[in-house]
Amino acid sequence: NGVLFKGGRFIEALGRVKAVAFDKTGTLTRGRFEVTDVVALEGTSEAEVLGWAAAAEKRSPHPLAQAVVRAADARGLSYGTADQLTNQLGKGLVARVAGATVEIGTPDLFTFLGIEVPRAALEHVERFNALARTAMLVHHASGWGVIAAADEPRPAAAGTIAELRRAGIESVVLLSGDHPRTVEAIARLTGVDQHHGALLPEDKVERIAELERGHGAVAMVGDGINDAPALARATVGIVMGGIGSDAAMESADIVLMGDDLTALPFAVRLCRRARAVVIQNVTIASGVMVLLV
């Protein structure tokens, strides 16, 4: 059925789970972004903004980075490759391209770097986020730009969440590093109980801890390197095997081999049934021993 358990204790643990937390990108959504909008500000051109971003993102494996590079290639743009790259997890990255510094990421990245973002750029970010698109600020010495990309929910996402509830899961939560309004839009489409956006990897770990305090055993489902700490922290870490990063695969306890979300409710039911059989066997064996004594 395409479900790999890394040990028997994880079968028992998943049978006790009462809450499930999902990452957004690549888990509840397809994980394949496509650039929908490029906005040039302060006298720059769309080609320049996309070229700066593609040069900075070319070596990054992140789905958003790959979308930017595909968009630049589709337009036939000529761009270099960053010779220096510093990744700020959950915020973006800083690169050196042809001797110039290029920053690309969320508004939090520029707050962290102490760079003031023009009001017009922030307004575009808000507008795109309201449309359930992920917006990236791009800064170069020559000016500013904003790139927006969209990612669609997996067709099976809403049905999987409904099946999990029928299987006995009490709470389904969406955790993401994307803008809260983008996360809210995906939450509406998939029917989760709670949603939290603009989370750094350490924030996801804290949310998992909160769920454990409220529900006991918690499963975390993810695929990216940003999910690895939360996967390790959860009672059971579940990773999408087809597109999952090496770090996430290593941190997870259960792997959905075919990136098929519908295998998750099957795994939950299987583990609950297995746990019930174990309890029955122990009860019967104990009863027989007491009777014989």
Side-chain angles (χ1 to χ4, degrees):
N1 288 279
V3 183
L4 171 66
F5 295 91
K6 291 188 178 180
R9 64 193 179 97
F10 303 123
I11 296 177
E12 182 182 359
L14 186 57
R16 295 187 288 107
V17 162
K18 296 293 184 183
V20 177
F22 285 93
D23 172 52
K24 182 180 78 67
T25 304
T27 304
L28 279 188
T29 63
R30 294 178 183 273
R32 182 179 173 86
F33 284 90
E34 296 297 340
V35 171
T36 57
D37 305 88
V38 180
V39 178
L41 303 169
E42 299 185 353
T44 61
S45 67
E46 291 185 6
E48 285 177 317
V49 171
L50 194 55
W52 298 332
E57 300 271 32
K58 189 170 184 178
R59 292 180 177 174
S60 173
H62 194 280
L64 278 171
Q66 295 169 4
V68 169
V69 173
R70 285 197 302 271
D73 290 341
R75 296 190 184 196
L77 300 181
S78 177
Y79 55 89
T81 303
D83 48 27
Q84 278 186 310
L85 191 68
T86 304
N87 188 26
Q88 300 291 340
L89 280 180
K91 296 185 179 77
L93 56 83
V94 180
R96 291 285 293 177
V97 179
T101 301
V102 176
E103 297 96 359
I104 176 169
T106 67
D108 287 342
L109 172 68
F110 295 91
T111 301
F112 174 76
L113 297 173
I115 299 174
E116 185 177 354
V117 181
R119 181 61 198 165
L122 291 175
E123 288 174 353
H124 282 294
V125 170
E126 289 293 329
R127 178 169 63 86
F128 290 135
N129 287 331
L131 297 172
R133 299 172 190 169
T134 298
M136 299 165 278
L137 290 164
V138 182
H139 178 233
H140 183 274
S142 302
W144 288 82
V146 181
I147 297 175
D151 186 18
E152 295 182 349
R154 290 177 182 268
T160 296
I161 291 168
E163 282 292 316
L164 286 174
R165 290 199 181 93
R166 285 192 284 270
I169 298 299
E170 297 173 354
S171 179
V172 181
V173 182
L174 176 58
L175 306 177
S176 176
D178 286 347
H179 192 280
R181 296 183 71 175
T182 303
V183 177
E184 181 183 3
I186 297 298
R188 284 197 307 269
L189 293 172
T190 55
V192 299
D193 300 310
Q194 303 175 41
H195 56 87
H196 305 279
L199 299 180
L200 298 175
E202 56 267 31
D203 298 327
K204 292 184 179 182
V205 172
E206 179 55 35
R207 296 294 183 184
I208 293 295
E210 290 176 5
L211 284 171
E212 285 186 337
R213 288 192 290 269
H215 297 277
V218 175
M220 171 70 190
V221 189
D223 73 296
I225 191 169
N226 289 354
D227 303 322
L231 289 167
R233 175 65 177 82
T235 311
V236 185
I238 303 171
V239 71
M240 308 293 282
I243 61 173
S245 69
D246 291 343
M249 294 274 282
E250 198 66 31
S251 301
D253 309 312
I254 299 171
V255 182
L256 304 182
M257 300 300 292
D259 284 346
D260 182 10
L261 273 180
T262 60
L264 183 56
F266 161 79
V268 171
R269 289 193 178 96
L270 176 70
C271 293
R272 288 179 183 272
R273 189 164 67 248
R275 188 163 180 265
V277 169
V278 169
I279 293 171
Q280 289 169 13
N281 286 349
V282 170
T283 302
I284 292 170
S286 301
V288 169
M289 285 189 288
V290 169
L291 180 62
L292 290 174
V293 168

